[in-house]
Amino acid sequence: MTKHKAETVNLVIIGSGPAGYTAAIYASRANLFPVLYEGFFSGPAGGQLMTTTDVENFPGFPEGIMGPKLMDQFRNQAARFGTKIISDDVVSVDFSVYPYHVVGKNHEHYAKSVIIATGANAKRLEIPGANEGEFWQRGVTACAVCDGAMPIFRGKDLYVIGGGDSAVEEATYLTKFASKVFIVHRRDELRASKIMAERALSHPKVEILWDSVVTKVDGGHVVEHVVIKNLKTGVETKKPAGGLFFAIGHTPNTAFLKGQVDLHDNGYIKVRDGTRTNLKLVYACGDAMDHVYRQAITAAGTGCMAALDAERDLAAEGLD
Ligand code: NAP
């Protein structure tokens, strides 16, 4: 496909999760006429909530709402105030020129300001039975806080893979619903902080399976069993299970920014003074810069902040 002629706009927002859409709602209402690249081939526009079922912790929806429906509503609200939404993936940016150059697979723009809201993806393991089309989202998930309260997990033995703060936090959270929670960790020592590890270890419903991995997920309509392999003995054991939760970290979608904007060693974008990056008029929000909270509501909050920061800085520069 041929690229469209590049125009210069006030603001390009890269990403379409809660952070990107919220930034777009605020920026469009401030008459910045933002252009939002929502992604296309890289994954579903709308971000991680598009692969979630019931969202029960987003304020304003006491009965819960399906993730895709919630993101559709975010998107419609951004469009209603005039955000130009482009179904394309940004493949590169050039922040050495100004206006900044944002290049998608099929579109490109020059931008007086840029908000990066590309999110992060929970890491998953390719275990037989745990993939899309198998038991993914039918008992296998990568977010206990999002999915743990679903009826299919209640009163069941649940398995969490990982040994970091996420794993122990998610295991502790899941004790509210599970009959028992097993943390499956590949080593004999947790990576998690002492205080959080102790909370999990002292919980009567939590047990750690050390030096172990999950080698198979099985069931009927939903997960019913997992197979655990002890790496020291090589012995595999089939155990009844209502769910399997990956808690092995996240990868921020920032690879295309390397060398363009300051990143932490773990790939998350460095921000200071609100949502400002090291570059003037370039902002970051949502999971691309937040590896601690990672919730839809916090992503939306930082999206709002990024739009307000951009609006103020553009006005201060006389560029609005
Ligand atoms: P993390 O600290 O990177 O831990 C990931 C865990 O997953 C590690 O134990 C790792 O094992 C395991 N793992 C990674 N790849 C694996 C694989 N292929 N197979 C099996 N296991 C694998 O990630 P995180 O726990 O998500 O935490 C990320 C950051 O957020 C940390 O800085 C953490 O402190 C922070 N956080 C804070 C809170 C809180 O304060 N409330 C809550 C959650 C997260 P190894 O240990 O063997 O490498």
Side-chain angles (χ1 to χ4, degrees):
M1 252 200 263
T2 48
K3 287 198 191 293
H4 294 209
K5 189 170 176 290
E7 60 173 325
T8 298
V9 297
N10 294 319
L11 171 63
V12 167
I13 298 166
I14 309 173
S16 60
Y21 285 141
T22 304
I25 292 165
Y26 274 77
S28 52
R29 284 172 57 81
N31 281 346
L32 289 178
F33 306 102
V35 169
L36 181 146
Y37 280 73
E38 66 174 354
F40 189 71
F41 295 105
S42 57
Q48 294 181 75
L49 284 190
M50 297 301 285
T51 55
T52 308
T53 51
D54 284 294
V55 179
E56 293 181 327
N57 55 8
F58 200 89
F61 298 93
E63 308 303 326
I65 182 166
M66 298 301 275
K69 168 94 176 141
L70 179 61
M71 294 325 298
D72 209 35
Q73 296 193 176
F74 268 70
R75 188 183 193 275
N76 290 344
Q77 198 170 347
R80 176 182 161 205
F81 295 108
T83 300
K84 185 172 173 187
I85 297 176
I86 300 202
S87 300
D88 196 5
D89 296 311
V90 170
V91 289
S92 66
V93 290
D94 185 355
F95 291 156
S96 68
V97 298
Y98 192 84
Y100 298 126
H101 192 195
V102 178
V103 182
K105 282 204 174 92
N106 299 310
H107 300 74
E108 60 183 306
H109 282 86
Y110 288 95
K112 294 182 202 168
S113 62
V114 176
I115 292 177
I116 304 160
T118 43
N121 286 328
K123 291 185 200 160
R124 286 153 58 176
L125 298 173
E126 288 195 13
I127 298 167
N131 304 306
E132 310 264 355
E134 300 179 318
F135 289 100
W136 175 247
Q137 291 300 328
R138 290 197 292 129
V140 180
T141 113
C143 181
V145 179
C146 324
D147 302 327
M150 282 166 63
I152 57 165
F153 298 123
R154 296 196 182 227
K156 304 275 176 56
D157 284 2
L158 303 179
Y159 287 77
V160 177
I161 302 179
D165 280 333
S166 294
V168 295
E169 187 176 61
E170 302 210 352
T172 308
Y173 178 76
L174 289 171
T175 58
K176 292 178 210 279
F177 318 107
S179 48
K180 184 142 187 184
V181 183
F182 294 92
I183 296 176
V184 185
H185 186 35
R186 63 183 175 183
R187 291 190 295 135
D188 59 1
E189 189 189 359
L190 290 175
R191 176 180 297 278
S193 57
K194 273 211 163 57
I195 186 161
M196 292 186 57
E198 271 163 20
R199 201 171 301 149
L201 288 168
S202 63
H203 197 290
K205 278 193 188 175
V206 176
E207 183 178 332
I208 302 194
L209 304 176
W210 301 106
D211 302 303
S212 297
V213 293
V214 177
T215 53
K216 192 175 176 195
V217 180
D218 208 353
H221 179 60
V222 293
V223 171
E224 291 171 2
H225 297 99
V226 291
V227 176
I228 307 292
K229 181 178 184 179
N230 183 301
L231 295 171
K232 287 224 163 120
T233 62
V235 173
E236 287 193 294
T237 318
K238 186 173 175 179
K239 304 244 203 181
L244 176 68
F245 296 79
F246 293 120
I248 57 170
H250 283 70
T251 310
N253 300 318
T254 55
F256 73 106
L257 296 169
K258 262 191 198 126
Q260 294 288 336
V261 68
D262 282 356
L263 305 176
H264 290 284
D265 291 343
N266 58 7
Y268 287 83
I269 303 168
K270 285 187 181 174
V271 293
R272 57 180 173 80
D273 195 11
T275 60
R276 294 171 176 89
T277 68
N278 62 309
L279 296 175
K280 214 170 169 175
L281 296 163
V282 178
Y283 310 85
C285 53
D287 289 12
M289 63 76 155
D290 166 27
H291 63 86
V292 177
Y293 300 102
R294 298 193 307 245
Q295 301 301 301
I297 188 68
T298 51
T302 56
C304 161
M305 290 163 63
L308 295 177
D309 288 343
E311 186 190 348
R312 284 175 194 154
D313 294 351
L314 284 165
E317 298 283 330
L319 291 167
D320 56 339

